[in-house]
Structure formats: structure tokens, C-alpha cells
Amino acid sequence: MHAIQPPLTPRKAPRQARSRALVEAIVEATARIFEREGAAACTTNAVAETAGVSIGSLYQYFPNRHALTAALVAREHESLLTAMHTAAARPELADRLDDMINAAVDYEFSRPALARTLDVQEAAPEFLADQQETLAALHACVASALELSDTA
């Protein structure tokens, strides 16, 4: 028998700037709790309190703590992919490779406690598809950066 998985998607997407700022504050509060206390301490009540928002405001966008984790993982992966694509666009191969390595190192070491906690969370089966998608995107980025070079 399969366990019922909690929903990982937000209830709705923020449309206005104020709503986007609210959602970002909630996701950042999730990150701060992960860094300070670990994933076990990340409850919707703790996130709402840390973000300085009402629990009702949090629930407008996130149905549970699993959706908060998914949003945080998505934000961090998007940040890494953006940095990698920026690096891959550099004109010189050496610069591309240096910047891509720096982007990967920065991803892990700019917030090491968060990175460690997310590594454990990302290993859960519900994140397998996202992990595979992110790895495929990283692979494509590196491959495209190398293909731009005559010496590659």
C-alpha cells in the first residue's frame, strides 16, 4: 500500500508585487528555520511567526510544510541554474568554467547549513522528479558551455 503524499504545490500563485513579497518572505523564513533549527522545526506556525505574517496568510499560498519545503527547493535550484546560465554565457571558455565552478561552490557554501538541510530534504522520493530535472538542466548548461569552445 502506498502512503498518501502531501501536496507539494502552492495553493495559488502570487500576482501582485505585494503578494510576491509576502510569498518570498514566507519562503525565506522557511530557509532561516532550516538553517537555525533543521527541517523538523519547520512548522507552518513557526514559519508564519518568523516571516511576521498571519497563519492565514501563509495558508493562502501554502497548504502545508511540505509545500514550503518544495518552494524553498525550487527557489534555490532556480538561483543555481540562473548563476550557471550566466556563467555559461561568458565569451571565454576559461571564464565560463571558472564562473560555473564558482556558482556551484557558492550554492553550497553561501548558506552551508541551509545547503546541508536541503540535501537531506531533496533526497526524499517526492523530490526525485525535481532533482532529475535540475540535474538535466545543469548537465545541459555545462554541455552548452563546452560546445561553445573550439578547445573543448
Side-chain angles (χ1 to χ4, degrees):
M1 180 159 67
H2 296 284
I4 297 173
Q5 294 295 327
L8 295 176
T9 56
R11 291 184 193 269
K12 67 180 185 176
R15 298 192 190 281
Q16 298 178 342
R18 188 179 69 212
S19 299
R20 287 190 299 273
L22 172 71
V23 167
E24 179 51 34
I26 291 169
V27 173
E28 180 55 30
T30 303
R32 289 197 314 264
I33 291 169
F34 272 41
E35 284 177 310
R36 282 193 319 251
E37 304 168 59
C42 188
T43 64
T44 53
N45 285 325
V47 171
E49 183 178 329
T50 301
V53 303
S54 72
I55 192 72
S57 293
L58 183 144
Y59 279 128
Q60 278 187 322
Y61 295 96
F62 300 100
N64 53 47
R65 70 187 196 103
H66 300 287
L68 289 166
T69 301
L72 178 57
V73 167
R75 182 188 82 174
E76 295 302 306
H77 285 182
E78 182 180 330
S79 173
L80 173 61
L81 288 169
T82 298
M84 293 294 277
H85 284 292
T86 300
R90 297 283 307 266
E92 296 296 322
L93 176 62
D95 293 336
R96 286 195 297 269
L97 296 178
D98 281 347
D99 286 359
M100 291 173 91
I101 291 167
N102 288 334
V105 170
D106 287 347
Y107 175 75
E108 288 295 325
F109 293 109
S110 65
R111 295 176 84 171
L114 177 60
R116 281 191 307 275
T117 303
L118 285 180
D119 285 345
V120 172
Q121 296 302 305
E122 292 167 340
E126 57 265 31
F127 290 110
L128 180 60
D130 182 66
Q131 282 290 80
Q132 290 174 336
E133 183 180 313
T134 300
L135 288 174
L138 287 170
H139 180 267
C141 182
V142 171
S144 72
L146 293 176
E147 288 173 6
L148 293 175
S149 169
D150 294 335
T151 60

